């Protein structure tokens, strides 16, 4: 057995058989399709509504059952809106209830429906304001780095006021909201939006508890994806080292290269272990859940940067080219590192929760 054989990111034997079947099916389906067809293929596989209740047209499964999807998306490096739509939006809407939320949940299973979340990262929308009138609610302010903000049919808005986090929805996105659209480092599209008394529906006056839980779930999911990204980078780099000759012999025969590959392998295994632990920790109390999620976030940031840098360096100049897979994988790891809070924030969050 190869030293760099892929180890499935599993933590519970109860769902192992189901997850293995889903992982194998998705891997076969997506590996035969182009990157731009990923979302359509996920829809055909029926996983867009994986966390949507069955009575609303979804699968009615839990976060643990989404692991195979993130493993495959990481292994093939397919950045999509699956995290924002099928995990975060679905989790928030299911938690708060209400007829408007249920209708949006139904629509999440539709491959043509695009939902974007505004203000998920607090620093991107610090000055949003909700104004309530007799017959309507208006939203004002500016939000930056809204993923899928250009194509979105509906915008979910997180408005932070004092200790509360209100959840609103702009159901009819008007022209002129988009100030600037641009690609992200991993190839997705984002936009800066400006709201000028935009009509919206308030779905929840305070969703802070639901948001905290959903954010921890999202961190665990991105940790699963990041571990799969790293595992593939280690495998591809080891294969390249066996084939690339220098001074008349494969560079993989050089001791210094072997040591680096082993260090990369250990880092990827660390990422996989903490990802599984964070996923299992979602069933714990709020304090333990938060501590494990933050530990996972810090670990994947550290290991992802190390594995990505070493993979690029060992590939040489070709590893820096736009078209090469190593470059794409490293960029995706860099994007994951910056999502849902940076390392400094999560070190403080871990310290606040781990020693309570």
């Amino acid at each position: 057995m190869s030293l760099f054989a892929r180890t499935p990111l599993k933590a519970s034997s109860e769902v192992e058989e189901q997850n293995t079947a889903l992982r194998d099916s998705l891997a076969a389906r997506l590996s035969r399709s182009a990157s731009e067809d990923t979302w359509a293929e996920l829809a055909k596989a029926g996983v867009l509504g994986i966390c949507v209740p069955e009575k609303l047209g979804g699968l009615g499964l839990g976060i643990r059952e989404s692991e195979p999807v993130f493993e495959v998306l990481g292994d093939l490096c397919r950045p999509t809106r699956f995290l924002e739509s099928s995990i975060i939006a679905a989790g928030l809407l299911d938690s708060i209830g209400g007829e408007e939320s249920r209708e949006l949940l139904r629509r999440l299973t539709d491959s043509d429906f695009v939902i974007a979340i505004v203000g998920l990262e607090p620093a991107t929308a610090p000055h949003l304001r909700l104004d309530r009138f007799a017959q309507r609610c208006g939203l004002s302010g500016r939000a930056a780095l809204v993923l899928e903000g250009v194509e979105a049919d509906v915008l979910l808005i997180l408005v932070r006021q004092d200790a509360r986090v209100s959840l609103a929805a702009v159901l009819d996105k008007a022209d002129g909201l988009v100030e600037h659209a641009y690609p992200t480092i991993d190839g997705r599209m984002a936009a800066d939006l400006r709201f000028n008394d935009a009509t919206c529906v308030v779905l929840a006056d305070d969703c802070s508890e639901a948001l905290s839980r959903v954010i921890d779930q999202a961190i665990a999911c991105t940790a699963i994806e990041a571990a799969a990204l790293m595992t593939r980078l280690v495998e591809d780099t080891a294969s390249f080292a066996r084939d690339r000759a220098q001074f008349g012999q494969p560079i993989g025969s050089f001791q210094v290269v072997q040591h680096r590959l082993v260090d990369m392998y250990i880092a990827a295994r660390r990422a996989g272990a903490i990802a599984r632990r964070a996923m299992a920790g979602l069933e714990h109390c709020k304090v333990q859940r938060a501590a494990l999620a933050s530990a996972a976030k810090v670990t994947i940031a550290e290991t992802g940067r190390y594995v990505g840098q070493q993979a690029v360096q060992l590939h040489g100049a070709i590893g820096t080219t736009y078209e090469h897979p190593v470059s794409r994988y490293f960029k995706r790891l860099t994007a994951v590192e910056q999502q849902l809070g940076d390392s400094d924030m999560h070190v403080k969050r871990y310290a606040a929760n781990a020693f309570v």
Side-chain angles (χ1 to χ4, degrees), residues 163-184:
R164 295 185 306 156
V165 182
S166 298
L167 181 65
V170 174
L171 303 177
D172 298 306
K173 196 177 71 171
D175 294 334
L177 286 182
V178 178
E179 279 192 328
H180 182 55
Y182 44 87
T184 60

Side-chain angles (χ1 to χ4, degrees), residues 99-232:
E99 186 54 41
E100 293 92 348
S101 297
R102 286 192 289 271
E103 180 56 33
L104 290 175
L105 275 169
R106 287 190 188 94
R107 298 179 69 185
L108 289 180
T109 62
D110 182 357
S111 62
D112 295 327
F113 177 65
V114 182
I115 193 167
I117 305 176
V118 178
L120 186 60
E121 310 278 355
T124 62
H127 303 302
L128 287 180
R129 187 181 77 252
L130 272 176
D131 297 313
R132 298 171 186 262
F133 305 101
Q135 302 296 327
R136 58 181 289 273
C137 289
L139 178 72
S140 300
R142 183 176 180 275
L145 198 61
V146 180
L147 292 170
E148 316 300 337
V150 177
E151 299 179 1
D153 300 300
V154 169
L155 298 171
L156 276 187
I157 319 291
L158 292 165
V159 183
R160 292 170 173 81
Q161 298 173 315
D162 300 324
R164 295 185 306 156
V165 182
S166 298
L167 181 65
V170 174
L171 303 177
D172 298 306
K173 196 177 71 171
D175 294 334
L177 286 182
V178 178
E179 279 192 328
H180 182 55
Y182 44 87
T184 60
I185 190 174
D186 55 346
R188 298 180 64 187
M189 288 298 298
D192 295 341
L193 308 179
R194 181 176 292 278
F195 303 94
N196 184 18
D197 194 28
T199 299
C200 64
V201 175
V202 177
L203 302 176
D205 289 321
D206 186 9
C207 68
S208 54
E209 286 295 320
L211 179 62
S212 173
R213 181 176 63 257
V214 169
I215 290 294
D216 288 339
Q217 292 172 346
I219 290 172
C221 290
T222 58
I224 294 290
E225 180 188 358
L229 285 160
M230 288 179 237
T231 300
R232 173 52 70 91

Side-chain angles (χ1 to χ4, degrees), residues 230-248:
M230 288 179 237
T231 300
R232 173 52 70 91
L233 274 178
V234 173
E235 292 177 348
D236 289 353
T237 305
S239 177
F240 177 81
R242 287 192 294 268
D243 297 335
R244 176 74 168 89
Q246 191 74 29
F247 305 113

Side-chain angles (χ1 to χ4, degrees), residues 312-326:
V312 169
Q313 188 171 46
L314 289 174
H315 274 81
I318 193 174
T320 65
T321 59
Y322 180 83
E323 298 83 1
H324 199 279
V326 168

Side-chain angles (χ1 to χ4, degrees), residues 50-51 63 66 70 82-91 214 218 221:
I50 195 165
C51 294
I63 294 297
S66 70
F70 286 97
F82 186 81
L83 179 73
E84 292 82 11
S85 179
S86 298
I87 302 299
I88 299 176
V214 169
C221 290

